[in-house]
Amino acid sequence: MIDQGYIPLSSLPIGRTARVKKLNCSGLLRRRLLDLGIIKDTVIEALAKSPSGDPTAYNIRGAVIALRSEEAGRILVLPYREEV
Amino acid sequence: MGLTSQSTGAGVLTGKLNIKVSQPTDKIVALAGNPNVGKSTVFNSLTGLKQHTGNWPGKTVTNAQGRCRYKDCDFILVDVPGTYSLSANSAEEEVARDFICFGNHDVVVVVADATCLERNLNLVLQILEINQNVVVCLNLIDEAERKQIHIDTKKLSRLLGVPVIPTSARSGKGIKNLIDAVYRVANQRIKPSSLKITYDPVIEQAVALIENRLSKILCGSPFTRWIALKLLECDNKVFDLVKDNLGVNLYEDKQLLLNLDKAISVLAQNDIHPDEVKDIIVSNLISSCEDIYNQTVTVNAKNYNKLDRKIDAVLTSRVFGIPVMLILLGLIFWITIEGANIPSALLSDFLFWIEAKLSEFFMWLNSPVWLHDVLVLGVYRTLAWVVSVMLPPMAIFFPLFTLLEDLGYLPRVAFNLDNYFKKCNACGKQALTMCMGFGCNAAGVIGCRIINSPRERLIAVLTNNFMPCNGRFPTLIALISMFFAVFPLRSVVSTLLLLGIILLGMVLTFATSKLLSKTILKGVPSSFTLELPPYRKPQVGKIIIRSIFDRTIFVLGRAVSVAAPAGLVIWLLANIHVNDISLLAYCAAFLDPFARLIGMDGYILLAFILGFPANELVIPIIIMSYAAEGSMIELSSLAELKNLLVSNGWTWLTALCVMIFTLMHWPCGTTCLTIKKETGSIKWTALAVIIPTAIGLLLCFILATAARLLGLA
């Protein structure tokens, strides 16, 4: 997984954009993430962290959604290159 | 604060939606949509009803119904709680899903946010899958235009196969077109032919196997495709749903179960595990949304949300996030305290002038003295006190708070505070229910439905009382103004003290939440997703007028329904004498030794007990008890009230203990009933009473003992 360059969404630096590759969870959480429109190849941008560092706000399909690091950590993403 | 008779009445707590149809020709219109898309505003502009609106997801947790008439047709509108999808992840979403699926409505209006269409299309497509008679209301269209988001509504309508009406409900734009489209769909002037999503061929093959059988059992019900998909997803709740709503037990149909097995094996042959079906279906759905979005929406300015991000960069920043929150809260308190003085004095002058006139009237009637005393000194005076002390601060505080709410600031508070809640194994949305608690704890308790996890919801319910409500907040302000406001920094000191009290409430909320999570409500924090909606320019004038009006009605309503009868009872207690001692004095004398331990006296504690129906009553009861015991005093200002209290032995310590006990004692009667209804358990209700009471007693005892030992009081 690491060699493919996937990282958990929770490690995506603020201001960077990434493409979703895998949802590493099941059950209710998976359903909830799917309902937010997070599927393979969804583009997500990390917008801002809350004052205490967690949760983080993400731009998901035009909506701003806050996710805790526990949930964001289950989403594996491939970051875009720096210039994008 | 969402506080209407509808949202706190008993009827809303049954969970299911009961529709009141007065004529068989009435058309039922369901208003569905994602949370926070302005559904309530659309509802209000259609019906003229005043459903409280706020810029945060989950505002409408209970359903409002309203009527409107257009041409020759009566419509009953049902405001369904916001939901992102029909898979029903929380209790409140389930209510929405059940109604959208099986609600027996003629038309579903799906309200979508034009500024965030792609996300909203998910629900639109899911509803279209079940229902043909749909009108899409593209709300906030002016906002979208301002952000240079252009939507080709004609093309969107063609792709979806149903009418799409752009509206801006806040200004009323497009509402007439909307009701016209609803009228035409309801009367079959337009026959929508809505889009059917085609799934992966393997899924379609499996669906066909089940759907054939289903349409035989369910006699061509429009839901067969949807039920088939749910069955493939192994969503077993669908069996109960069909049984409850269509009266068919699918488990009994051997052929169907056989076909289901066959369908699952078809999937298996194509390497699709049952767990993955949901993924594929949702992925297909979301790709369709993306596709439609790309075909119909053009965004000219790439960074259309730049301003929002800049505001967020301040309001949720590491350095400023929490301080700005406290400053904003402090500022609101300061304006409330500073602004309430003059109208409070004017109002009390006015109401006591009326009291004098009433007395003259009774004398002119030659009525017996006792009748005058009961009605004027008992009932009227209590009412006048409640109104003059409660109304001005509330009529200032709430419009200001509503401005913040309308702006979209409250979800940011939840965002800022979530980590602290997580450390207490609770949910950040608890911050939102705490804000509702400011208005009324009963409303706050109902609001806890927005929290998905039952454990976290219970924590929020049990701790909601730590936020001082409508009835307690002005008591705090009055006590602070009387005992702690020292010149020259009067209002600053008062503000800081009030802020301190609220912070104490917050700290205790966190501490209690943590304690509960470690003991009787053990568990790890569940998943948390919170939408931060775009900031919206509040309609300042409208909010201020609306909110002052709402508060006035609310305070007056409570004063008449609770304070006036209670005034009667208390007057009787204070004036019925046995052996020359009033009943009130007997009770107070009984409570006195204990009350002294916690820094108060018997009358104060008795006032808290008698104030169980409504916290507004505590101060009037104290006044009446003292006044009945001593000489009658004309109480027309806070200064005179202070004199009365001081002459009855009040010190700063008494005032502080009363303030702490005001913040922390048993919830009022309405709140207790609501907790009982929401939790369905006497045990949890008892706990909701015991926790704050125990903490309040303990704190007051420590404070009083310490102050006495140190010789401070």
Side-chain angles (χ1 to χ4, degrees), chain B residues 621-644:
Chain B
I621 295 174
I622 294 175
I623 298 168
M624 204 179 302
S625 320
Y626 289 149
E629 295 301 307
S631 57
M632 288 304 294
I633 313 165
E634 187 72 17
L635 294 168
S636 55
S637 74
L638 280 183
E640 284 166 54
L641 175 56
K642 186 186 176 182
N643 288 338
L644 174 73

Short mmCIF file of all heavy atoms in Angstrom, two decimals, chain B residues 621-644:
data_model
loop_
_atom_site.label_atom_id
_atom_site.label_comp_id
_atom_site.label_asym_id
_atom_site.label_seq_id
_atom_site.Cartn_x
_atom_site.Cartn_y
_atom_site.Cartn_z
N ILE B 621 -41.16 33.94 44.03
CA ILE B 621 -41.57 33.25 45.26
C ILE B 621 -40.77 33.78 46.45
O ILE B 621 -41.32 34.05 47.51
CB ILE B 621 -41.37 31.72 45.13
CG1 ILE B 621 -42.28 31.16 44.05
CG2 ILE B 621 -41.67 31.03 46.45
CD1 ILE B 621 -42.05 29.69 43.76
N ILE B 622 -39.45 33.98 46.22
CA ILE B 622 -38.63 34.52 47.31
C ILE B 622 -39.17 35.88 47.73
O ILE B 622 -39.37 36.15 48.92
CB ILE B 622 -37.15 34.63 46.85
CG1 ILE B 622 -36.59 33.22 46.62
CG2 ILE B 622 -36.32 35.36 47.90
CD1 ILE B 622 -35.17 33.22 46.04
N ILE B 623 -39.45 36.74 46.76
CA ILE B 623 -39.94 38.08 47.07
C ILE B 623 -41.24 37.99 47.86
O ILE B 623 -41.41 38.65 48.89
CB ILE B 623 -40.21 38.87 45.77
CG1 ILE B 623 -38.93 39.05 44.99
CG2 ILE B 623 -40.82 40.23 46.10
CD1 ILE B 623 -39.17 39.56 43.60
N MET B 624 -42.15 37.15 47.36
CA MET B 624 -43.46 37.09 47.99
C MET B 624 -43.35 36.56 49.41
O MET B 624 -44.04 37.03 50.32
CB MET B 624 -44.38 36.22 47.17
CG MET B 624 -45.83 36.58 47.41
SD MET B 624 -46.90 35.58 46.45
CE MET B 624 -46.34 35.91 44.82
N SER B 625 -42.47 35.58 49.62
CA SER B 625 -42.33 35.03 50.96
C SER B 625 -41.85 36.11 51.91
O SER B 625 -42.41 36.30 52.99
CB SER B 625 -41.31 33.89 50.98
OG SER B 625 -41.43 33.10 49.86
N TYR B 626 -40.78 36.82 51.49
CA TYR B 626 -40.24 37.85 52.37
C TYR B 626 -41.26 38.95 52.59
O TYR B 626 -41.45 39.43 53.70
CB TYR B 626 -38.97 38.46 51.78
CG TYR B 626 -37.78 37.54 51.79
CD1 TYR B 626 -36.80 37.63 50.81
CD2 TYR B 626 -37.61 36.57 52.80
CE1 TYR B 626 -35.70 36.79 50.81
CE2 TYR B 626 -36.51 35.73 52.81
CZ TYR B 626 -35.56 35.84 51.81
OH TYR B 626 -34.47 35.01 51.81
N ALA B 627 -41.92 39.34 51.50
CA ALA B 627 -42.85 40.46 51.60
C ALA B 627 -44.04 40.12 52.50
O ALA B 627 -44.50 40.94 53.28
CB ALA B 627 -43.34 40.85 50.21
N ALA B 628 -44.49 38.85 52.41
CA ALA B 628 -45.64 38.45 53.22
C ALA B 628 -45.27 38.39 54.70
O ALA B 628 -46.11 38.62 55.56
CB ALA B 628 -46.13 37.08 52.76
N GLU B 629 -44.01 38.09 54.96
CA GLU B 629 -43.57 38.01 56.34
C GLU B 629 -43.39 39.40 56.94
O GLU B 629 -43.78 39.67 58.06
CB GLU B 629 -42.25 37.23 56.45
CG GLU B 629 -42.38 35.78 56.05
CD GLU B 629 -43.38 35.03 56.91
OE1 GLU B 629 -43.26 35.08 58.14
OE2 GLU B 629 -44.31 34.41 56.33
N GLY B 630 -42.76 40.27 56.19
CA GLY B 630 -42.48 41.61 56.72
C GLY B 630 -43.55 42.58 56.28
O GLY B 630 -44.67 42.21 55.97
N SER B 631 -43.19 43.85 56.26
CA SER B 631 -44.15 44.84 55.81
C SER B 631 -44.17 44.85 54.29
O SER B 631 -43.19 44.51 53.64
CB SER B 631 -43.75 46.22 56.33
OG SER B 631 -42.45 46.51 55.90
N MET B 632 -45.28 45.20 53.70
CA MET B 632 -45.37 45.24 52.25
C MET B 632 -44.49 46.35 51.69
O MET B 632 -44.54 47.48 52.16
CB MET B 632 -46.81 45.50 51.81
CG MET B 632 -47.72 44.32 52.04
SD MET B 632 -47.12 42.84 51.23
CE MET B 632 -47.29 43.33 49.54
N ILE B 633 -43.72 46.00 50.75
CA ILE B 633 -42.85 47.02 50.15
C ILE B 633 -43.23 47.18 48.68
O ILE B 633 -43.54 46.20 48.01
CB ILE B 633 -41.36 46.60 50.21
CG1 ILE B 633 -41.03 46.11 51.62
CG2 ILE B 633 -40.47 47.75 49.82
CD1 ILE B 633 -39.74 45.35 51.70
N GLU B 634 -43.22 48.39 48.24
CA GLU B 634 -43.45 48.64 46.82
C GLU B 634 -42.15 48.32 46.09
O GLU B 634 -41.14 48.99 46.26
CB GLU B 634 -43.83 50.11 46.62
CG GLU B 634 -44.26 50.47 45.23
CD GLU B 634 -45.63 49.93 44.89
OE1 GLU B 634 -46.39 49.55 45.81
OE2 GLU B 634 -45.93 49.88 43.70
N LEU B 635 -42.18 47.25 45.29
CA LEU B 635 -40.94 46.84 44.64
C LEU B 635 -40.96 47.23 43.17
O LEU B 635 -41.53 46.55 42.35
CB LEU B 635 -40.80 45.32 44.74
CG LEU B 635 -40.61 44.79 46.15
CD1 LEU B 635 -40.79 43.30 46.16
CD2 LEU B 635 -39.26 45.18 46.68
N SER B 636 -40.35 48.34 42.89
CA SER B 636 -40.41 48.73 41.49
C SER B 636 -39.03 48.81 40.85
O SER B 636 -38.90 49.11 39.69
CB SER B 636 -41.15 50.05 41.33
OG SER B 636 -40.53 51.00 42.15
N SER B 637 -37.98 48.54 41.61
CA SER B 637 -36.68 48.52 40.95
C SER B 637 -35.80 47.48 41.61
O SER B 637 -36.10 46.98 42.70
CB SER B 637 -36.01 49.89 41.06
OG SER B 637 -35.55 50.07 42.38
N LEU B 638 -34.72 47.14 40.92
CA LEU B 638 -33.80 46.14 41.45
C LEU B 638 -33.19 46.61 42.76
O LEU B 638 -32.94 45.81 43.66
CB LEU B 638 -32.71 45.86 40.43
CG LEU B 638 -33.07 44.92 39.28
CD1 LEU B 638 -31.86 44.68 38.40
CD2 LEU B 638 -33.60 43.59 39.80
N ALA B 639 -32.97 47.94 42.90
CA ALA B 639 -32.37 48.46 44.12
C ALA B 639 -33.28 48.18 45.31
O ALA B 639 -32.83 47.78 46.39
CB ALA B 639 -32.11 49.96 43.97
N GLU B 640 -34.58 48.40 45.12
CA GLU B 640 -35.52 48.13 46.21
C GLU B 640 -35.59 46.65 46.52
O GLU B 640 -35.71 46.25 47.67
CB GLU B 640 -36.91 48.65 45.83
CG GLU B 640 -37.00 50.17 45.94
CD GLU B 640 -38.24 50.69 45.26
OE1 GLU B 640 -39.34 50.21 45.59
OE2 GLU B 640 -38.10 51.56 44.39
N LEU B 641 -35.51 45.84 45.44
CA LEU B 641 -35.50 44.39 45.65
C LEU B 641 -34.28 43.99 46.47
O LEU B 641 -34.37 43.19 47.38
CB LEU B 641 -35.50 43.69 44.28
CG LEU B 641 -35.35 42.17 44.33
CD1 LEU B 641 -36.44 41.55 45.19
CD2 LEU B 641 -35.42 41.59 42.94
N LYS B 642 -33.14 44.62 46.14
CA LYS B 642 -31.93 44.30 46.88
C LYS B 642 -32.11 44.64 48.36
O LYS B 642 -31.71 43.87 49.24
CB LYS B 642 -30.74 45.06 46.29
CG LYS B 642 -29.44 44.63 46.95
CD LYS B 642 -28.24 45.43 46.53
CE LYS B 642 -27.03 44.96 47.36
NZ LYS B 642 -25.83 45.72 47.04
N ASN B 643 -32.72 45.80 48.64
CA ASN B 643 -32.96 46.18 50.03
C ASN B 643 -33.78 45.13 50.76
O ASN B 643 -33.49 44.78 51.90
CB ASN B 643 -33.69 47.52 50.09
CG ASN B 643 -32.76 48.66 49.71
OD1 ASN B 643 -31.53 48.51 49.81
ND2 ASN B 643 -33.33 49.76 49.25
N LEU B 644 -34.82 44.63 50.06
CA LEU B 644 -35.66 43.61 50.66
C LEU B 644 -34.83 42.37 50.99
O LEU B 644 -34.92 41.80 52.08
CB LEU B 644 -36.80 43.23 49.70
CG LEU B 644 -37.68 42.07 50.17
CD1 LEU B 644 -38.58 42.49 51.30
CD2 LEU B 644 -38.50 41.51 49.03
#
